[in-house]
Amino acid sequence: MKKIFLLLALALSVALGPFFGSAAEAAMRVDIMNPGQNIVNLALAAPLKGPQVQATGMGGELQKLVEQNLSFLPFMRLTDPKAVLGGVLLPGYEPPALDFKRFQLAGSDIVVTTFWPDGDSGTRPVQIRAFETNTGGRLFGKEYPKVNSRDLPEVADRFCADLLEALTGNGAFFRSTLAFVKKTGKLSANVWLVKPTGRDLRQITNMPGEAMSPAWSPDGRFVVFTHIDPKSHALGVWDRSTGKVQRIRFPGNVVIGPAFMPDNKVAVALSNGKYPVIFLLNHVFQKERVLEQSNAINVSPTFDSTGTKMAFTSSRLGGPQIFLKDLNSGSISRVSKNGTYNSEANLSPDGTLVVYSRMTDYGHRIFVQDMLTGMERQITFGPGSDEQPSFCADSYFIAFASTRGGGRGIYLTNRHGGDAKQVPTGGGAASFPRWGMPVTQK
């Protein structure tokens, strides 16, 4: 309950006079959707609890958490404090006490100030502002009330989400929680949750057997997954409101790749004669209607944010390939046009990209197909094998499972590729990452 009250308090961040109003906000934007996005250089001014008096308690800890968070943004570069002539300890936290020139000379595009008006110990409010160094315009300013040391990770996440949204139009990355599977032995794997930065790691199922392919519901209440035990396959359903898990059986013995549609209904491949068929389930997880079937294997549905497009894997041309179905017209087009084995598709929420895994001579690699331009891009290059890609709600970040580090782990990249960053998930093989935004974090 304390966690819920904290999140509600943080959601009620309040304006503090003219410096926090919307009229003066700057309009700096970073285009992350197109290749070659610009790099943003950001400086963190020393946290203050008075003019030129540095906050070293919770102020220093919050600064470290923010730095750790921002290191996950591939387009963000943090300015070395030693590169700022005159130092990062300032006489104030807002103009005219801010010396933007020293940050400009250090190459910074943005400077962030933090002020603890009542000191930085115990339970105190904290004010955070972000300014453009070139114009002095404010990107945003927020106060987070009644913050104590336990709240600092949530404050850091909230600030970084606000900053990311101000720059790119979407702060989903820092508001997201990944569901994934951690394996502990033969036919022993359960569903876990973790922030993409590695915080708030916890196990949510503890069942004999093996969980696979977890998926969040849009409202953040459910995680569904395939569950296999020695006797049967089933649909597992974890209810966040109760913490309980139910196991739902269907005729036959196939339950593959469940996924939610925007209306909180589940699509999943189930047995239906010779080949699996993609069914839509109703809100109590029972069969409602068929979404796709043919004289071939059809599995692993995935949807855009409108629920009108469905990407899936099918063997209708022989080996597994990726297809896209318009659920309004019923028309189907082939997505993957190269390679003999493409699977594990995930459709970006904005409906413009399909990411999938391809078997190559060097192991599995992740590819992205642009549905607007028709261009395909390889975004991972090993070492090891890269599989099970999944788009964040921002249609930019991509999580995937890889053996590049020796054991299997969860890594992050983006729609353009680049260096992958590992998500800390503790010991044990981790796979099947899927993004979600629990409702209290939205």
Side-chain angles (χ1 to χ4, degrees), residues 41-329:
N41 296 290
L42 181 142
L44 295 172
L48 298 175
K49 57 183 178 182
Q52 289 189 310
V53 179
Q54 187 166 349
T56 57
M58 290 196 297
E61 182 60 28
L62 178 60
Q63 193 105 326
K64 291 178 184 177
L65 291 168
V66 168
E67 289 178 357
Q68 291 170 7
N69 274 6
L70 296 181
S71 72
F72 281 83
L73 303 181
F75 53 86
M76 185 74 72
R77 299 289 183 271
L78 292 178
T79 301
D80 185 345
K82 296 178 181 178
V84 181
L85 295 176
V88 295
L89 183 61
L90 302 173
Y93 49 86
E94 58 187 4
L98 285 182
D99 178 7
F100 292 112
K101 191 67 176 179
R102 69 174 73 179
F103 294 103
Q104 288 181 41
L105 292 174
S108 303
D109 306 300
I110 297 171
V111 60
V112 172
T113 67
T114 309
F115 179 53
W116 299 79
D118 299 322
D120 66 333
S121 60
T123 300
R124 297 287 187 270
V126 57
Q127 302 170 16
I128 310 180
R129 299 163 172 83
F131 299 90
E132 290 185 43
T133 61
N134 185 39
T135 65
R138 194 195 63 253
L139 287 168
F140 67 88
K142 292 286 180 69
E143 179 181 77
Y144 306 92
K146 298 182 179 180
V147 174
N148 59 46
S149 59
R150 295 186 304 274
D151 305 334
L152 294 177
E154 292 292 348
V155 175
D157 287 348
R158 198 162 186 84
F159 161 71
C160 290
D162 290 338
L163 176 63
L164 186 58
E165 185 163 1
L167 292 175
T168 69
N170 196 313
F173 178 84
F174 293 110
R175 297 176 181 133
S176 296
T177 295
L178 289 166
F180 70 100
V181 169
K182 187 183 288 192
K183 193 173 179 65
T184 54
K186 185 177 181 181
L187 205 61
S188 178
N190 279 284
V191 180
W192 291 62
L193 305 179
V194 70
K195 294 285 187 70
T197 55
R199 287 202 291 271
D200 295 343
L201 175 67
R202 63 190 179 105
Q203 183 177 345
I204 61 169
T205 72
N206 186 17
M207 305 166 63
E210 187 162 359
M212 302 172 67
S213 306
W216 278 100
S217 63
D219 65 3
R221 176 177 173 180
F222 299 103
V223 174
V224 295
F225 54 96
T226 295
H227 188 262
I228 303 171
D229 67 16
K231 295 181 179 179
S232 64
H233 292 204
L235 179 70
V237 182
W238 174 74
D239 188 335
R240 185 170 177 268
S241 66
T242 64
K244 295 181 179 179
V245 181
Q246 60 177 317
R247 195 172 186 274
I248 301 171
R249 291 284 311 279
F250 296 92
N253 203 33
V254 170
V255 179
I256 301 174
F260 276 96
M261 295 186 71
D263 62 0
N264 241 46
K265 292 182 179 180
V266 173
V268 62
L270 303 172
S271 299
N272 192 43
K274 185 178 180 180
Y275 298 107
V277 168
I278 298 175
F279 281 94
L280 179 66
L281 309 183
N282 59 25
H283 287 117
V284 291
F285 308 107
Q286 298 300 314
K287 288 181 182 179
E288 183 173 292
R289 61 186 175 90
V290 171
L291 291 179
E292 179 58 27
Q293 66 178 340
S294 64
N295 292 323
I297 296 170
N298 296 285
V299 294
S300 304
T302 170
F303 303 90
D304 70 341
S305 61
T306 69
T308 61
K309 298 177 183 177
M310 178 181 75
F312 62 100
T313 302
S314 179
S315 66
R316 63 190 61 194
L317 298 181
Q321 296 292 343
I322 310 302
F323 294 84
L324 185 70
K325 183 171 185 176
D326 185 317
L327 295 177
N328 289 330
S329 67

Side-chain angles (χ1 to χ4, degrees), residues 385-404:
S385 196
D386 305 323
E387 301 175 80
Q388 301 154 0
S390 170
F391 268 108
C392 178
D394 58 15
S395 297
Y396 175 75
F397 282 99
I398 296 170
F400 63 99
S402 178
T403 58
R404 62 183 56 205

